[in-house]
Amino acid sequence: MAISPADVDAGARATSRNDFGDLIRLVRNEGLLDRRYGYYAVKISLTLLALVGGCVAFVVLGDSWWQLATAVFFAVMFAQIAFLGHDAGHNQIFRGGRANDRAGYAFGAVVGMSYGWWMGKHSRHHANPNHEGDDPDIDIPLLAFTRGQSAEKSGFVRWTSKHQAALFFPLLFLEGLSLHWSGIRAVARGDIKARWLEAVSLFVHFGVYLGAVFVVLSPPVAVAFIAVHQGLWGVYMGCSFAPGHKGMPTFTDKTKLDFLRKQVLTSRNIRGGRWVDFTLGGLNYQIEHHLFPAMPRANLRRAQPLVREFCARRGIDYAQCGLLKTYYYVLQHLHDVSAPLRTGG
């Protein structure tokens, strides 16, 4: 999986700068950048209908330990709604940015995330994926994604980084809480544009969520429900986003990449049928998504063979593997990066 920066630089210089222009013309001619209003109308309607059905079941079931099953259901639904917020953030749903932002704020309110905070973070990631110092997705205090990061760890975070391969999945149980807290902190600091809108949205979300849980359920069941729901939602989100880049090459400011190679060489696709498309919210087509962020999710499957063939003709490595294999690569990368910490280096 490793690619030396020197080899990448040489390849980029030897290849025409018109590569991406050729690719985008190919994709546009196939109509793959056109909006898919019908798809999203059905997708959003069915998702919200399922969420409402879950809420009705929650009330009808009442104070019962069987509510832990509904907690699992809501973890799945929160992830699916977050995927729709992701699509809105990339202008995949509507043609205009304002309409997409309105949808994004609404989806964020449903799951208790700050859309503005996430947009800022995610935009920086797309601009420089796996770029050390610039990509916030590889700047996680408890983990190290490069040897340089591992060397800088100290204290408790040095211990978590040392054992990060074993701790990776357990730590994901905290991801949901991290998403909530990061949004709350961004709103409190005024780091986002629609600060008061997001403040009200988060206040209403947590008021309705906690109110419903503690009114319908007894305290022990309520606490267990929240733990299962939030924990599994975090695992789902982490397991959906991690395969796309973790374990792929990382670069520094010294490495010069054109846009096409910057996105392709740092991304990994996940093979699978439509159940993988649904489960991962289209993020299994990470390469195509990074090349064409505004491409509607439903079109990524059709774009994939075109992009893969295009890269093959130009000698650009195109990473793709099965779902379980990608988690092996992620854990292997985390284990390798933390090796100096285990040997005392």
Side-chain angles (χ1 to χ4, degrees), residues 33-286:
L33 297 178
D34 297 342
R35 299 304 91 189
R36 295 289 299 273
Y37 296 116
Y39 166 81
Y40 276 111
V42 172
K43 180 72 175 177
I44 293 172
S45 298
L46 291 178
T47 302
L48 295 181
L49 183 62
L51 179 65
V52 171
C55 293
V56 172
F58 176 83
V59 174
V60 171
L61 194 56
D63 186 22
S64 166
W65 285 102
W66 285 105
Q67 291 283 18
L68 298 188
T70 64
V72 175
F73 172 79
F74 282 117
V76 174
M77 294 311 305
F78 267 42
Q80 290 295 321
I81 293 169
F83 292 152
L84 289 172
H86 172 264
D87 293 357
H90 285 295
N91 293 332
Q92 295 179 20
I93 302 176
F94 302 104
R95 188 171 300 277
R98 182 173 297 180
N100 280 292
D101 282 343
R102 288 171 179 166
Y105 283 119
F107 293 134
V110 172
V111 299
M113 282 179 60
S114 166
Y115 174 74
W117 163 78
W118 175 82
M119 276 291 293
K121 173 178 177 291
H122 199 61
S123 296
R124 296 196 304 275
H125 160 68
H126 266 262
N128 291 288
N130 275 17
H131 204 98
E132 189 172 359
D134 293 320
D135 182 359
D137 283 5
I138 61 170
D139 184 16
I140 300 175
L142 295 179
L143 302 174
F145 294 102
T146 68
R147 290 290 178 94
Q149 288 181 342
S150 66
E152 297 172 355
K153 301 295 183 180
S154 61
F156 177 70
V157 295
R158 182 179 178 86
W159 181 86
T160 59
S161 298
K162 179 179 179 179
H163 304 286
Q164 60 185 6
L167 293 173
F168 179 70
F169 285 111
L171 285 173
L172 290 183
F173 281 95
L174 302 176
E175 177 65 14
L177 296 179
S178 176
L179 292 172
H180 292 313
W181 175 245
S182 295
I184 293 171
R185 186 172 57 181
V187 170
R189 291 178 175 177
D191 295 338
I192 54 177
K193 184 168 57 176
R195 182 185 185 185
W196 292 110
L197 171 63
E198 299 240 50
V200 171
S201 296
L202 291 175
F203 180 82
V204 171
H205 168 85
F206 290 113
V208 172
Y209 179 84
L210 295 175
V213 169
F214 283 100
V215 167
V216 173
L217 308 178
S218 59
V221 180
V223 172
F225 177 92
I226 293 172
V228 171
H229 173 216
Q230 298 296 331
L232 292 184
W233 177 49
V235 171
Y236 192 165
M237 294 295 287
C239 287
S240 299
F241 282 93
H245 301 282
K246 303 302 181 285
M248 295 301 292
T250 56
F251 300 99
T252 67
D253 288 333
K254 297 179 180 179
T255 309
K256 303 300 181 182
L257 294 170
D258 62 287
F259 177 79
L260 177 64
R261 286 159 184 79
K262 178 189 291 186
Q263 304 301 335
V264 175
L265 296 177
T266 59
S267 303
R268 179 196 296 115
N269 278 11
I270 311 302
R271 293 193 186 96
R274 295 193 180 277
W275 76 272
V276 175
D277 295 0
F278 170 81
T279 302
L280 298 184
L283 298 176
N284 46 312
Y285 301 108
Q286 194 69 205

